Amino acid sequence: MNDWPEAWSDDNRGRRYGRGSASAQPESPRVMRQVRRGQPAPPGQGAYGGVPQQPQYVDGHGSGGYDDYDSGYNTGQVYGGGRGGGDGYGPQRPAPDWRRRIKWTAITLVTVLFVTTVATYFWADSKLNREVDLSQVIERPEKGEGTNYLIVGSDSREGLSDEDKKRLRTGSSEGKRTDSVMILHTGDNGPTLISLPRDSNVEIPTFKGSESGKTYQGTGRQVKLNAAYAEDGPELLVRTVEFNTGLHIDHYVEIGFAGFANIVDAVGGVEIDIPQDIKDTKSGADLKKGKQTLNGEEALAFVRTRYALAGSDLDRTKNQQKFLSALANQVATPGTVLNPFRLYPTMSAGLDSLIVDKEMGLFDLADMFWSMKGVSGGEGTSMNMPLAGSSGGNLLWDKDKVKQLVNQLNNDEKVTVTGD
């Protein structure tokens, strides 16, 4: 029985070359058989009586010829390439537009920075305590060149608990008195910081009461400078300084004990070089000579110390100038300005603690701090008011030197006058 399909014989099988052939003649190249995929034959039909018709092969093509069916082989067609073409592994994404991405990133950063800056400005501006009304100051001298700030350190205990008062050695005195008074002049010839000793002998002029609005006539009464503040507050202090110097005060800035200590702690302490060992039981200072970083409590004790110093109040004013300049320098460093975790606590502590005049703005405050930084950096001058001696415990100013100093400040000239 012949098991091969119709028209195939053993002879045909024997004459084939390849596997099982006794002939050494090589087998012809095989042709990839391609299948005509036509409609299946109806049941019961076909070349084999009910068996589905098998594909016919003619030289690698179906019986219908090459044109009837194209399998896609050997045509150069790449499968899976898709419309994107390329490496044949699917659609290709376009290359990223880096210029566009950088542009929008920059715009976003600038927008965020602008919004943050504006929000910070309004937040800080709203926290300023504008309590001092300089419009109540009467008979004021003519304004000169540059800007003059009256900077006052008060012994106010406001905001201090009993524990704080004990720790900071502030005592529990009622009311407020000036612990330090300074004039800071800013202009084109560098800043000048001048300390007015609180024991300076001054005349109380005619003034308008800050609360009553009543005018009090001057009688030529001679008092210590800090008595003017104790009598009627900042407005009378400004009036007294202007009357006794002839210098127009543009802005007023005041800070109490608690606020001073809080600002120092907020900036992480202030580095300063102390010229001698200081031990003062009244202020609580117990400091060694040399460069060191003072925290709020230590800093307050340092600027309040006078009994342990040879020059008493005059040496204290020099220490106050030195420390305030160092504090301003610390506040203005990149480590504070560019670090929001330090900048905002510092601003909050300072703005909550400061009392300023009604016309004071943030740019004025910034100008004051940058100028004080300039003093510590050698770009300006620091000095005490020139003195001529004392009388009954009151320090007398050298009138001629004071007049020359005021003229130089009013004309925004380089200060050549020296003080004690």
Side-chain angles (χ1 to χ4, degrees), residues 28 33 68 73-74 96 100 115 141 176 189-190 192-193 208 217 240 245 267 328 331 334 370 386 397:
S28 300
R33 297 176 180 178
D68 290 343
Y73 289 105
N74 301 320
R100 180 181 178 86
V115 171
K176 292 194 299 184
N189 285 287
T192 302
L193 185 61
K208 181 179 179 181
Q217 294 296 327
T240 302
T245 63
V267 296
V331 171
W370 279 103
W397 294 351

Side-chain angles (χ1 to χ4, degrees), residues 26 49 66 172 187 195 198 236 280 310 341 352:
Y66 180 82
S172 300
S195 286
R198 67 178 190 173
L236 179 55
D280 185 351
F341 297 103
D352 283 340

Side-chain angles (χ1 to χ4, degrees), residues 89-410:
Y89 292 99
Q92 296 291 309
R93 293 183 179 180
D97 188 345
W98 289 109
R99 295 181 62 182
R100 180 181 178 86
R101 291 187 180 185
I102 293 173
K103 171 185 174 182
W104 283 107
T105 299
I107 291 175
T108 301
L109 291 176
V110 170
T111 302
V112 170
L113 180 61
F114 175 77
V115 171
T116 301
T117 301
V118 171
T120 299
Y121 175 86
F122 284 104
W123 166 78
D125 188 71
S126 67
K127 292 179 73 66
L128 274 178
N129 299 316
R130 297 183 174 93
E131 299 179 5
V132 180
D133 188 0
L134 295 184
S135 68
Q136 296 187 29
V137 180
I138 61 175
E139 301 177 15
R140 309 191 67 182
E142 185 177 352
K143 179 176 171 55
E145 300 294 327
T147 303
N148 298 313
Y149 300 88
L150 188 64
I151 304 172
V152 176
S154 76
D155 63 1
S156 170
R157 280 81 174 169
E158 184 177 353
L160 293 177
S161 65
D162 291 339
E163 182 180 347
D164 290 333
K165 293 176 183 178
K166 183 177 180 181
R167 176 175 57 87
L168 298 175
R169 304 288 185 92
T170 64
S172 300
S173 300
E174 297 296 331
K176 292 194 299 184
R177 285 156 295 278
T178 57
D179 205 57
S180 62
V181 180
M182 302 179 189
I183 294 175
L184 174 67
H185 174 84
T186 64
D188 294 334
N189 285 287
T192 302
L193 185 61
I194 308 164
S195 286
L196 283 62
R198 67 178 190 173
D199 291 339
S200 296
N201 187 83
V202 294
E203 179 183 339
I204 298 294
T206 299
F207 70 96
K208 181 179 179 181
S210 59
E211 295 184 3
S212 66
K214 181 180 177 180
T215 300
Y216 297 88
Q217 294 296 327
T219 61
R221 180 163 48 103
Q222 305 288 310
V223 299
K224 292 181 178 181
L225 181 61
N226 62 351
Y229 182 93
E231 187 172 330
D232 199 51
E235 288 83 3
L236 179 55
L237 179 61
V238 171
R239 168 68 174 138
T240 302
V241 170
E242 289 187 340
F243 177 82
N244 286 270
T245 63
L247 192 66
H248 182 93
I249 299 300
D250 297 288
H251 293 293
Y252 177 92
V253 180
E254 177 187 327
I255 186 170
F257 286 160
F260 181 83
N262 289 339
I263 293 175
V264 174
D265 285 334
V267 296
V270 175
E271 185 178 73
I272 189 169
D273 190 0
I274 299 178
Q276 65 180 76
D277 291 348
I278 298 177
K279 188 173 182 62
D280 185 351
T281 56
K282 291 192 175 182
S283 70
D286 187 5
L287 305 170
K288 299 298 182 182
K289 177 182 177 180
K291 184 175 291 186
Q292 55 200 284
T293 299
L294 304 183
N295 61 26
E297 179 181 345
E298 295 167 335
L300 183 59
F302 174 70
V303 299
R304 293 182 61 219
T305 294
R306 63 172 175 165
Y307 295 105
L309 305 175
S312 187
D313 199 44
L314 293 180
D315 283 348
R316 181 174 73 158
T317 57
K318 294 176 183 178
N319 285 342
Q320 290 171 344
Q321 290 178 346
K322 184 176 182 179
F323 187 85
L324 288 178
S325 296
L327 173 60
N329 186 70
Q330 180 70 24
V331 171
T333 58
T336 299
V337 175
L338 300 180
N339 183 353
F341 297 103
R342 178 166 290 180
L343 174 63
Y344 284 97
T346 301
M347 292 179 64
S348 181
L351 296 173
D352 283 340
S353 306
L354 296 178
I355 296 175
V356 300
D357 65 273
K358 292 183 180 296
E359 302 301 320
M360 185 82 161
L362 290 178
F363 289 108
D364 300 312
L365 197 61
D367 174 63
M368 185 190 78
F369 269 95
W370 279 103
S371 298
M372 292 184 70
K373 177 186 177 183
V375 171
S376 66
E379 301 171 5
T381 303
S382 62
M383 59 184 291
N384 278 327
M385 186 66 82
L387 299 176
S390 62
S391 176
N394 292 8
L395 298 176
L396 303 177
W397 294 351
D398 186 322
K399 293 183 179 180
D400 292 337
K401 284 189 175 182
V402 169
K403 183 178 180 179
Q404 182 183 357
L405 173 63
V406 170
N407 285 336
Q408 290 177 345
L409 295 178
N410 277 331

Side-chain angles (χ1 to χ4, degrees), residues 6 41-54:
E6 181 179 0
Q45 299 182 11
Y48 305 103
V51 178
Q53 185 177 1
Q54 301 298 313

